[in-house]
Amino acid sequence: QLQLVESGGGSVQAGGSLRLSCAASGYTYSSNCMGWFRQAPGKEREAVAIIHSGGGAADYADSVKGRFTISQDNAKTTVYLQMNSLKPEDTAMYYCAADLTDGPSWRCHLNRHVEVWGQGTLVTVSS
């Protein structure tokens, strides 16, 4: 069973940077979709970025394009979210998630149904 554990959250001032990590363990996939989602207080959860573990193709929410970058390590066991130029509206609980199906990269879009979630890591951006 795939398990995901996030780390790297914290507090930062607007304009600063953070890098989130998502460590995968258990059964890992060679070409599934892995992504980052966030949920701010009083708001619905939204997809932030998603990547195809087999080829690195990625998709981003418009609100983070040009500021956030999703990537993975060579072993495909850790997915990162580099967050630059952070804004107060980026404040949220960030969750790593993945689907449980190997397949082509076109499947990895922001609306992809994911089946496994991490416990979340909190990001707070102050103005």
Side-chain angles (χ1 to χ4, degrees):
Q1 178 74 10
L2 176 64
Q3 295 179 321
L4 304 173
V5 178
E6 304 97 331
S7 62
S11 298
V12 64
Q13 289 192 327
S17 298
L18 283 174
R19 188 175 81 156
L20 306 183
S21 298
C22 172
S25 62
Y27 184 85
T28 55
Y29 295 76
S30 60
S31 57
N32 66 331
C33 304
M34 297 189 69
W36 288 94
F37 295 71
R38 68 186 181 186
Q39 186 166 20
K43 295 188 176 181
E44 293 187 356
R45 185 173 59 202
E46 63 174 343
V48 175
I50 193 165
I51 191 169
H52 183 245
S53 66
D59 193 17
Y60 296 91
D62 288 342
S63 59
V64 306
K65 279 181 181 177
R67 300 189 299 122
F68 291 11
T69 302
I70 189 170
S71 63
Q72 60 182 353
D73 67 346
N74 290 335
K76 301 180 182 179
T77 57
T78 304
V79 174
Y80 303 100
L81 186 68
Q82 178 67 42
M83 306 185 294
N84 299 327
S85 302
L86 282 161
K87 305 175 181 180
E89 50 264 43
D90 294 318
T91 294
M93 186 70 79
Y94 283 72
Y95 299 91
C96 180
D99 69 358
L100 298 177
T101 306
D102 283 324
S105 61
W106 57 261
R107 297 162 45 254
C108 300
H109 49 76
L110 292 180
N111 293 321
R112 178 67 186 169
H113 174 68
V114 291
E115 296 147 289
V116 178
W117 295 86
Q119 83 288 350
T121 185
L122 182 63
V123 172
T124 303
V125 184
S126 58
S127 58

